[in-house]
Amino acid sequence: NVLDVANSHFNDAQDYRRKNDYINAAKYYKLAADADLSPAQYELAKLYMRGEGVQINFKEAFRLFYLAATNDSMPWPGAYTNLGLLYYEGVGVERNLDESIKWYKKGAEVGDSEAMYCLGLSYQSGEGVPQSDVEAVKWYQLATDKGHENAANNLGYMYATGKGVNKDVD
């Protein structure tokens, strides 16, 4: 059946990627992505972002991340945060902070620490949301609890300076 073939292509792509053969990885991810397999759409989008096995193409990366995130049969959570980043940067799509925050929140809802960290940054800077050090601390703490090192660094800064929390240099 189509899903079995798509999964087979995806597994082949994974094998090629582990061997650093990005040209063949991209070829097999594309076959699986064209069969609407969301993890393949996600992985192929990452290759387009990095120019591995394909030419860098941010519009195509955006398109594939969007397909992976909105896939009816299996939305791929990692795509949420990447869409947020692309909207934030205005890469492959027009810059839109409201959309950026929307996708970060979707990523955070499913436990993605990078999305939580990005929300912390957004609240700390007031980009796309009302500035709130308290909210920034909340999101940095959630991301830190999941092992996000940059969030832990930012959380330490917030405690050291007393921003959003009682100052605590320890």
Side-chain angles (χ1 to χ4, degrees):
N1 86 29
V2 174
L3 184 58
D4 290 339
V5 171
N7 279 316
S8 176
H9 289 318
F10 180 77
N11 290 334
D12 289 342
Q14 295 285 79
D15 288 341
Y16 282 118
R17 192 185 71 196
R18 277 190 284 279
K19 297 173 187 170
N20 295 322
D21 181 348
Y22 296 108
I23 292 172
N24 278 312
K27 173 184 167 184
Y28 284 96
Y29 281 138
K30 182 165 179 15
L31 290 169
D34 288 347
D36 205 32
L37 192 67
S38 59
Q41 294 162 336
Y42 174 76
E43 293 296 337
L44 184 57
K46 291 189 330 186
L47 294 182
Y48 276 109
M49 290 288 295
R50 298 180 189 135
E52 294 175 334
V54 292
Q55 290 291 319
I56 289 176
N57 185 332
F58 296 116
K59 286 185 179 191
E60 182 63 5
F62 175 84
R63 185 186 77 80
L64 288 162
F65 282 136
Y66 187 83
L67 288 174
T70 60
N71 187 297
D72 287 334
S73 61
M74 182 176 33
W76 202 251
Y80 301 149
T81 305
N82 284 288
L83 285 171
L85 290 167
L86 291 174
Y87 272 116
Y88 176 81
E89 295 290 335
V91 176
V93 66
E94 189 172 321
R95 188 170 198 237
N96 184 325
L97 295 179
D98 291 337
E99 283 293 311
S100 176
I101 297 299
K102 175 184 112 175
W103 289 106
Y104 289 156
K105 286 182 177 178
K106 281 184 166 277
E109 287 171 6
V110 296
D112 186 90
S113 66
E114 184 69 14
M116 294 170 185
Y117 170 66
C118 289
L119 279 171
L121 290 172
S122 297
Y123 278 105
Q124 188 177 1
S125 68
E127 288 189 283
V129 292
Q131 196 284 330
S132 171
D133 289 337
V134 171
E135 279 294 305
V137 167
K138 171 187 139 183
W139 290 109
Y140 289 148
Q141 184 65 62
L142 289 167
T144 297
D145 291 347
K146 293 194 159 280
H148 197 286
E149 292 177 7
N150 290 333
N153 182 63
N154 288 19
L155 183 60
Y157 169 80
M158 301 299 271
Y159 274 102
T161 59
K163 293 184 180 216
V165 291
N166 291 328
K167 187 173 181 175
D168 183 350
V169 291
D170 290 335

